[in-house]
Amino acid sequence: MNVALGVGGGIAAYKSAELARALMERGFTVNVVMTASAEEFIRPLTFAALTGRKVITGLFSAASSEATLSSAIEHIRVAQENQILVVAPATADLLAKFAHGLADDFLTTTYLAFTGRVVLAPAMNTNMWNHPATQENLKILRARGHEIVEPDEGVLACGMVGPGRLADPQRIAELVAAGKVEPRRDLEGETVLITAGPTQEPLDAVRYITNRSSGKMGYALAEEAVARGARVVLVSGPVNLAEPRGVEVIHVLTAIEMRQAVMDHLNDATMIVKSAAVADYHRADAPKHKVKKTAARMSLELDPTPDILAEIGRKKGDRLLVGFAAETENLLEEARRKLESKNCDMIVANLVSQEGIGFDSDENEVVLVERTGETIPVRRASKRAIAGRIFDEMIRLRLALHASQ
Ligand code: CTP
């Protein structure tokens, strides 16, 4: 079988030589296509010597003075003669171009003309990897059915520590040889009940009180859970987000409505994640008409709303229950207090006073406080990546709790 190996311009480009060899050892014929910037990192001769085949380099290298029709359509030939396109390292730039169909060099035009299996092994700086633009592009590429070999975590060439290092070339070759890199389906058989967004508590016919919350974290949790094979019920307060595909969404406004929707689905649920920012107080007897501005001063009498999380905590049985704690101070003490008082298995705690994360942002940075006593800091990352870590930990926690019983 023939593999077109696209090499992007990154420090990891030298590892593609090992990948080419590892693919050949597994019986593949390897045709290397290098981008112009890849040539800054590794010589085409290295690949030519390793594979014993012509290496395609740079821009339309065929568009030289003796260009013929056959050389001008060489990218079509490469696209047709290879069954698998592997791109390693796939730089942030290449991911963006593939996602949006930009085709300004040999590799990107080959990609567009290619109809076979595509395997992408990204490598880049951690911040570039975590950037919402890159994560959005990955989402598009995954939805297109492409296989992504996630980068490893570690010390990067730039000195940063985090995800971004090209996956081990031997592992990439193994995955290519093994057939399709299936997305993880480790939540299959689970019913995950998620709450998201704020609640809105009417004060009269036109006014309400609410909490700051975009709902992005809860929606990211729902997308992640459904991608990993779960049945997902999302109880959502008022937010400006599109309903995630494959998720059963129940729209509510008030804490009382949210409680009802949650209780209606509690029986089916095996995991519950309460990321909603529920209003703690409401006006129980809110007038149905608009209150006129007649008084010089006014004060509001508010009653507590039902504490949904605490109620689930009392009824949960062996369901896994995860609450959230958004704090401005004493993060860990508050998280631990909520974990105990609401009988949760885990609290996802975040300091909402930090800039660039939390509320409206696409990124977050949290600490997972667990019933086992463990405290796990999760570095700043996209909300989708944080959602992934939360489910990883929930699965691990369930095993740990079962083992200790
Ligand atoms: N929560 C809930 N029902 C409420 C209030 C909160 O289910 N009426 C849940 C939230 O969804 C979140 C967790 O409880 O998962 C923590 O919410 P928070 O408001 O921080 O907790 P409180 O116990 O209200 O503590 P605080 O005094 O800090 O407001």
Side-chain angles (χ1 to χ4, degrees):
M1 207 184 292
N2 295 348
V3 172
L5 173 60
V7 181
I11 294 156
Y14 74 94
K15 293 189 188 167
S16 308
E18 189 188 339
L19 175 58
R21 201 203 314 250
L23 287 167
M24 287 164 64
E25 279 165 8
R26 285 166 178 79
F28 293 104
T29 302
V30 178
N31 297 298
V32 175
V33 179
M34 300 177 71
T35 63
S37 51
E39 283 185 71
E40 304 285 332
F41 293 92
I42 184 165
R43 300 278 311 275
L45 193 60
T46 307
F47 290 110
L50 272 175
T51 63
R53 301 176 69 83
K54 189 176 120 194
V55 172
I56 296 170
T57 54
L59 293 169
F60 292 98
S61 50
S64 61
S65 51
E66 76 263 27
T68 61
L69 180 61
S70 67
S71 60
I73 56 168
E74 202 177 351
H75 59 284
I76 307 288
R77 186 185 59 74
V78 171
Q80 283 171 347
E81 289 180 359
N82 292 280
Q83 288 75 46
I84 310 175
L85 171 64
V86 179
V87 182
T91 57
D93 176 60
L94 281 174
L95 295 179
K97 283 180 173 157
F98 293 160
H100 299 285
L102 299 179
D104 60 357
D105 68 359
F106 200 97
L107 182 56
T108 48
T109 43
T110 302
Y111 167 80
L112 273 193
F114 189 72
T115 54
R117 181 178 164 210
V118 177
V119 179
L120 305 171
M124 65 199 72
N125 158 279
T126 298
N127 287 347
M128 292 171 76
W129 172 253
N130 284 334
H131 197 285
T134 304
Q135 292 297 321
E136 287 292 319
N137 290 334
L138 284 164
K139 209 157 125 185
I140 293 171
L141 294 165
R142 280 198 187 97
R144 215 171 270 166
H146 299 343
E147 299 157 55
I148 312 291
V149 187
E150 302 264 335
D152 290 336
E153 294 210 8
V155 182
L156 304 178
C158 54
M160 279 183 83
V161 181
R165 218 162 58 175
L166 183 71
D168 174 31
Q170 295 294 337
R171 198 168 77 82
I172 301 173
E174 253 158 50
L175 291 169
V176 172
K180 200 163 166 46
V181 184
E182 290 292 349
R184 266 185 304 176
R185 304 282 293 176
D186 52 0
L187 292 176
E188 225 151 48
E190 306 279 354
T191 297
V192 183
L193 176 58
I194 298 169
T195 68
T199 65
Q200 214 177 71
E201 312 295 335
L203 294 175
D204 67 7
V206 294
R207 305 175 179 96
Y208 57 80
I209 44 176
T210 192
N211 284 345
R212 280 186 68 187
S213 168
S214 65
K216 285 179 181 170
M217 191 63 237
Y219 276 58
L221 283 158
E223 283 172 7
E224 175 73 12
V226 93
R228 285 163 72 164
R231 177 188 160 223
V232 180
V233 178
L234 174 64
V235 180
S236 172
V239 295
N240 276 319
L241 300 171
E243 291 191 3
R245 242 196 299 171
V247 171
E248 200 177 319
V249 187
I250 302 165
H251 293 281
V252 297
L253 278 182
T254 65
I256 288 179
E257 288 170 17
M258 183 171 277
R259 179 199 161 274
Q260 191 56 51
V262 166
M263 292 308 152
D264 288 348
H265 290 86
L266 189 59
N267 259 348
D268 293 350
T270 55
M271 295 178 161
I272 303 133
V273 190
K274 283 234 64 215
S275 68
V278 185
D280 286 327
Y281 292 92
H282 70 156
R283 187 169 183 185
D285 56 348
K288 296 281 174 279
H289 61 276
K290 181 181 173 191
V291 174
K292 300 306 285 181
K293 189 176 54 183
T294 46
R297 275 193 103 227
M298 81 172 295
S299 53
L300 283 168
E301 282 271 314
L302 298 174
D303 295 303
T305 54
D307 190 323
I308 310 167
L309 186 60
E311 185 176 347
I312 307 170
R314 289 191 295 273
K315 299 178 174 168
K316 73 191 246 336
D318 56 8
R319 296 174 183 84
L320 215 53
L321 179 58
V322 177
F324 272 64
E327 308 292 343
T328 51
E329 54 213 348
N330 304 331
L331 183 68
L332 293 182
E333 294 96 287
E334 280 302 302
R336 234 168 239 292
R337 182 179 65 77
K338 287 174 191 178
L339 183 89
E340 302 287 331
S341 67
K342 305 195 189 197
N343 193 28
C344 294
D345 298 298
M346 188 200 294
I347 291 282
V348 180
N350 69 336
L351 269 184
V352 287
S353 42
Q354 293 183 74
E355 259 182 51
I357 55 170
F359 293 136
D360 233 350
S361 155
D362 290 317
E363 298 193 328
N364 213 346
E365 181 175 327
V366 300
V367 181
L368 307 181
V369 178
E370 304 190 354
R371 204 165 93 187
T372 50
E374 279 172 281
T375 296
I376 300 170
V378 183
R379 268 190 301 268
R380 181 173 174 156
S382 70
K383 287 187 171 170
R384 179 63 186 266
I386 301 267
R389 278 302 302 276
I390 292 171
F391 284 113
D392 290 348
E393 282 305 316
M394 285 170 74
I395 291 168
R396 208 181 56 85
L397 187 59
R398 171 170 307 138
L399 291 173
L401 293 174
H402 276 189
S404 68
Q405 270 170 10

